[in-house]
Amino acid sequence: MFENEIQDYLRKHDFAAFQPKVVLFDMDGVLYNSMPHHAVAWKESMKSFGLDMTEADVYATEGMKGVDTIRMMVKQQQGRDISEEEAQKMYDEKGRLFHQMPEAPIFDGVLNLMSKIKKSGLSIGIVTGSAQRKLIKRLVNDFHHFVSEENIVTAYNIKHGKPAPDPYLKGLQLTGSHQPWEGIVVENAPMGIRAGVAAQIFTVAINSGPLPDSTLRKEGADLLFHQMTEFCAVWEQLLDAAKHV
């Protein structure tokens, strides 16, 4: 099981071996069932600035730094360039609306999978494009048994966000200066999957949202599941396959 997918990954990047030592998780839509809340907050906040942001836009741009998403939308719809400072003010309004909503739950299977990863002797990191300090603080509180704050990549410590490879390369660095073939990325969004693949890391898609599987596969996902519990159930088989390829 998974030998073919691993072999495809090795051929794609011309690597000799796949030796996982760290798992890098995205946050929204992977750790937390938060994307429905984000979709509402994005649509309502951008509407107040004269932008039409659909649910499809939210999922298509998920993982990008919020200010980058806003600057792109303003350029596309209003034909003007805005400063990062202006975009940040707009992003702050999105964050205000998001934090008025009920707290998003952790997906089933996440804590069990992290426990398995830790027992397997692998490190864990989190890589998010978020710049919302309340969410980052929650990460530290919810996952402190598995992830140290120093192993969390946010919009604050990278210049180029997803879909650039930089956030996941930074994740490899923060968790021990690992090589790409020593990592696993867990993502749910096209931009994040593109970033993981660009970083040459084995990328697992969890399609927790409304996008068709084909959208995530065409970005280069090496494996695809629909729920974290499915990935958790086969974790040992993936590690075993890595040892025998």
Side-chain angles (χ1 to χ4, degrees):
M1 192 180 209
F2 304 127
E3 284 85 356
N4 290 340
E5 289 86 351
I6 293 173
Q7 288 173 346
D8 288 344
Y9 162 77
L10 295 175
R11 281 193 294 268
K12 181 167 58 177
H13 299 291
D14 196 24
F15 291 153
F18 173 49
Q19 301 171 330
K21 294 181 180 177
V22 60
V23 181
L24 302 173
F25 289 91
D26 177 41
M27 179 176 68
D28 292 305
V30 171
L31 300 180
Y32 299 117
N33 188 11
S34 50
M35 283 308 298
H37 292 347
H38 280 293
V40 172
W42 270 116
K43 289 189 291 183
E44 291 301 315
S45 61
M46 293 305 102
K47 183 179 179 181
S48 69
F49 295 104
L51 294 174
D52 178 21
M53 192 167 190
T54 67
E55 183 178 43
D57 292 329
V58 174
Y59 281 91
T61 58
E62 182 197 348
M64 292 176 63
K65 293 170 67 175
V67 292
D68 290 343
T69 297
I70 291 169
R71 295 177 80 179
M72 179 183 71
M73 296 288 292
V74 170
K75 183 67 173 179
Q76 289 175 348
Q77 295 187 22
Q78 299 179 355
R80 63 189 183 96
D81 296 311
I82 61 172
S83 67
E84 188 162 341
E85 289 74 20
E86 184 178 350
Q88 183 63 54
K89 290 180 181 178
M90 296 167 69
Y91 184 59
D92 289 343
E93 173 62 10
K94 180 264 174 179
R96 185 187 70 81
L97 293 180
F98 177 82
H99 290 295
Q100 290 179 347
M101 299 179 189
E103 191 170 76
I106 299 172
F107 274 115
D108 290 343
V110 167
L111 295 175
N112 286 341
L113 177 57
M114 285 190 173
S115 181
K116 286 187 175 186
I117 292 169
K118 187 174 181 180
K119 289 178 181 176
S120 300
L122 279 68
S123 302
I124 298 173
I126 297 173
V127 178
T128 174
S130 177
Q132 297 183 42
R133 296 188 185 277
K134 288 182 180 179
L135 294 180
I136 296 164
K137 182 178 179 180
R138 187 184 173 194
L139 284 175
V140 176
N141 291 336
D142 287 348
F143 302 107
H144 67 276
H145 290 301
F146 307 105
V147 185
S148 68
E149 187 170 359
E150 292 73 25
N151 289 355
I152 300 176
V153 179
T154 72
Y156 293 109
N157 53 1
I158 48 105
K159 182 177 180 181
H160 302 291
K162 304 170 187 177
D166 304 40
Y168 281 111
L169 294 175
K170 185 71 171 181
L172 292 176
Q173 176 189 343
L174 292 183
T175 54
S177 297
H178 298 294
Q179 298 298 319
W181 61 85
E182 296 176 324
I184 297 172
V185 162
V186 186
E187 264 284 355
N188 71 304
M191 293 295 184
I193 292 168
R194 196 184 303 176
V197 173
Q200 299 185 297
I201 304 171
F202 190 88
T203 301
V204 177
I206 308 293
N207 194 2
S208 60
L211 299 176
D213 290 351
S214 59
T215 299
L216 304 185
R217 291 192 184 280
K218 76 178 183 181
E219 296 293 353
D222 297 291
L223 290 175
L224 186 144
F225 302 96
H226 294 104
Q227 298 178 18
M228 190 66 76
T229 51
E230 296 174 5
F231 184 29
C232 182
V234 298
W235 169 252
E236 291 85 357
Q237 288 95 315
L238 178 60
L239 288 191
D240 187 63
K243 294 175 183 177
H244 293 94
V245 170

